[in-house]
Amino acid sequence: MLVVGFTGSHCTGKTTTATICENMLKRKGYRVYLIKKVVRNLDRNELGTIEAQMKIHKMMCDELIKAYKSMYDVVITDRTPLDVAYYTLYYLIKHEWDETSLRLAQKLIQSNISVTKSLYDLIILMDGIDTIPIVDDGFRLTDNHSRLCIDIIARIILRTLPDDIPVYVVKPKSPEETAKEVVYVIEKMLKKYECELSNE
């Protein structure tokens, strides 16, 4: 099973691309499980708190565990636990969390990175802050400053990943073209894994 996670700042096309990739891969005969919009299970008023970030992390981990118990070729997540780390860092500075929240944040970020390292095979960084306009859907942050901050934090944290977890950077084009590019990378990895298994 190949676990692929989309990552990056808000309004960069993660969910849209992940959904199109799921459909493309299914049409090619792969068994695909898509985990998306986990953060939408929260009340918007909770956002910006350590409690919300911990809930998001737990929901993501629960979904990943559920996926691991089934027989899929590809599991796609429209965010990764790393995304929880990006926003945790952003919020703890923006909202000047108290000392208790900061200590919890430290443990949470370590867990975000650890889970990503242990479960993911490929990370897709959506590099779309300069190409995709922010849409106010009543839930996400809607200012360019926050989007740029998250993008900077993401690029720093992604450097902590080991070399055996490739980070593929995608500059969004049309949704279909972007998804085709990502599916090509996923299929290359699947074929590589098949070769490795057949040589064992």
Side-chain angles (χ1 to χ4, degrees), residues 119-181:
L119 296 183
Y120 282 81
D121 301 295
L122 173 65
I123 304 293
I124 307 292
L125 172 62
M126 297 298 285
D127 183 16
I129 63 168
D130 298 323
T131 56
I132 298 178
I134 292 177
V135 176
D136 185 357
D137 61 357
F139 193 86
R140 69 182 94 197
L141 298 169
T142 56
D143 60 293
N144 273 319
H145 181 269
S146 66
R147 188 161 68 159
L148 180 57
C149 285
I150 297 297
D151 186 69
I152 291 166
I153 293 167
R155 290 170 191 276
I156 292 167
I157 289 182
L158 286 167
R159 290 178 180 272
T160 69
L161 292 181
D163 292 339
D164 61 341
I165 304 176
V167 176
Y168 187 81
V169 182
V170 176
K171 196 79 178 170
K173 299 169 271 295
S174 74
E176 289 287 328
E177 283 180 71
T178 306
K180 274 184 195 171
E181 183 181 344

Side-chain angles (χ1 to χ4, degrees), residues 47-168:
L47 293 181
T49 66
I50 184 61
E51 292 79 15
Q53 296 306 106
M54 291 168 74
K55 281 183 192 176
I56 295 166
H57 179 68
K58 183 181 183 311
M59 287 187 285
M60 289 186 77
C61 289
D62 289 347
E63 286 288 329
L64 284 162
I65 290 164
K66 191 163 58 173
Y68 260 90
K69 289 179 179 174
S70 304
M71 297 299 293
Y72 292 100
D73 300 310
V74 184
V75 172
I76 299 172
T77 64
D78 73 345
R79 283 161 184 74
T80 69
L82 291 179
D83 290 79
V84 180
Y86 313 153
Y87 285 89
T88 298
L89 281 166
Y90 173 75
Y91 286 131
L92 72 83
I93 294 166
K94 181 177 174 64
H95 297 308
E96 298 181 358
W97 287 354
D98 62 27
E99 190 174 325
T100 302
S101 296
L102 291 176
R103 292 188 187 282
L104 289 170
Q106 182 182 11
K107 289 179 184 172
L108 177 61
I109 291 165
Q110 288 169 342
S111 182
N112 299 149
I113 293 169
S114 175
V115 168
T116 304
K117 285 179 178 177
S118 61
L119 296 183
Y120 282 81
D121 301 295
L122 173 65
I123 304 293
I124 307 292
L125 172 62
M126 297 298 285
D127 183 16
I129 63 168
D130 298 323
T131 56
I132 298 178
I134 292 177
V135 176
D136 185 357
D137 61 357
F139 193 86
R140 69 182 94 197
L141 298 169
T142 56
D143 60 293
N144 273 319
H145 181 269
S146 66
R147 188 161 68 159
L148 180 57
C149 285
I150 297 297
D151 186 69
I152 291 166
I153 293 167
R155 290 170 191 276
I156 292 167
I157 289 182
L158 286 167
R159 290 178 180 272
T160 69
L161 292 181
D163 292 339
D164 61 341
I165 304 176
V167 176
Y168 187 81

